[in-house]
Amino acid sequence: MDVDLTKKESSKLLEFKSRVADIKKPELWDEDTDLFLRRWLIARNWNIDKAEVMLRKSMEYRKKINCDTLLTDYKPPEVLEKYFVGGICGYDKEGSPVWIDVFPLLDVKGILHSVMKEKIILHKIVACEELLFLLRQQTQKLKKSVDGIVIILDVAGLSWKHLWPPGIECFKEIVAAFEDNYPEVLRRVYIINAPRIFVLAYNMVKNVLTARTTGKIHMLGSNWKESLLDVMDADQLPVYYGGTQVDENGDPKCPSKILYGGEVPKTYYFTHDDISADMQTVHVSRGSTKYIQLPITVSKCQIRYTIRSEKHDIGYGFLYNDLDSPSKRHSEMQVILSSTRTNTHMVQLTGVLECNQPGIYILLLDNSFSWIKGKTVRYSLEVVAPKTEDEAYTDALDVIGDDCVNLTANETEDLSGHEEAH
């Protein structure tokens, strides 16, 4: 990052530093506090209010997933360890770690049918933490600030099968997690071997990229090997990518450093029992909406939800009603999460809803858009309560034991159509 600040920027940095003085910088961000804080200001175009919201949300997220201990405690699911893609090959001439990604070699459907989306995102967060560690290591080794990473994205073989909607949504969530929690860590992205369909794929995900990120993306032409060697020494690149690196057995792709995916064996797939365990089954009639009520009597709980439909998609959302007005019509209730039509027949949906106050929380399963087919839907709802009123709350995805309460919720169905569902 450019080290020179204008007088106005210096003033904003001082104010921002005062506002967030209570935040302890994560250990892996081994850099001057001012440099750390500038990342968040730059990511939000020097808007102090937005930068503070971004930083505090990120620190809370890190706390929820125990980010500071991921490098020592994380154990990846076997299917990700064997069939995911990408890896660190070396460093560019400025000392930045270089990650090579081969997304088209990833069996997206196989992965999403074998492991929850949240675990895929966590797996990528761990990779980001590894890169932060290398940035710190390089800074110490080279005795200069090394504050960004380089990505080589090899999109050879990209085709229509990679534009599968659940896969695109998962990829967008991974990118959003990177943008939200690792501001200004990306120095440059080099796209190589891009087929024509890449433009379509890029347009499907670019809405989650900031303008600063898009400005760092460089599309290389047919001479991409020479272009990469302009910014990297040959001994930092695999032979396959124009360098001189090989594995111990002479493999020019260096699979000991870079994972090249492959088709996921169906033995890793979720079984019917995996999907149905601890789940309720409901039928949502054509043109109707099913409402599932959860009374919550304490504040700052979380609801973990899982939804799976058979053969066809379904809409879902959440409403809120206070405990004193249980007879209020659905159309009069507060919309917490607007109904969204999702491909839950392709990939099981999981999520967490924050319940900041007591009340009746209503999961709606919306089939009002379909006047021909009724839908069979399986769902589970788990309430994770705070351990004490003063204690920070543990993320619902990580809690086990007595803090999790399985509820059999009250179900109602509305046949009045789409308007009532919203």
Side-chain angles (χ1 to χ4, degrees), residues 50 52 68 72 113 123 157 163 179 285 300 317 340 380 387:
K50 291 181 179 179
E52 181 179 1
D68 292 338
T72 55
H113 280 114
H123 193 69
L163 305 187
E179 292 272 29
S285 304
K300 296 185 177 179
T340 304
S380 69
K387 292 181 180 179

Side-chain angles (χ1 to χ4, degrees), residues 93 224-234 237 241-243:
K93 292 180 180 180
W224 57 266
K225 289 185 179 181
E226 291 84 354
S227 298
L228 291 179
L229 288 174
D230 286 339
V231 296
M232 296 181 67
D233 291 325
L237 264 176
Y241 288 100

Side-chain angles (χ1 to χ4, degrees), residues 16-27 29 33 36-37 40 51-60 62:
F16 185 48
K17 193 173 182 178
S18 174
R19 283 202 198 182
V20 297
D22 58 303
I23 293 178
K24 182 181 178 182
K25 180 166 61 73
E27 185 178 343
W29 291 89
T33 299
F36 171 72
L37 295 179
W40 308 87
E52 181 179 1
V53 169
M54 181 186 185
L55 176 57
R56 292 191 182 279
K57 282 186 176 180
S58 179
M59 294 303 105
E60 183 61 28
R62 292 183 65 87

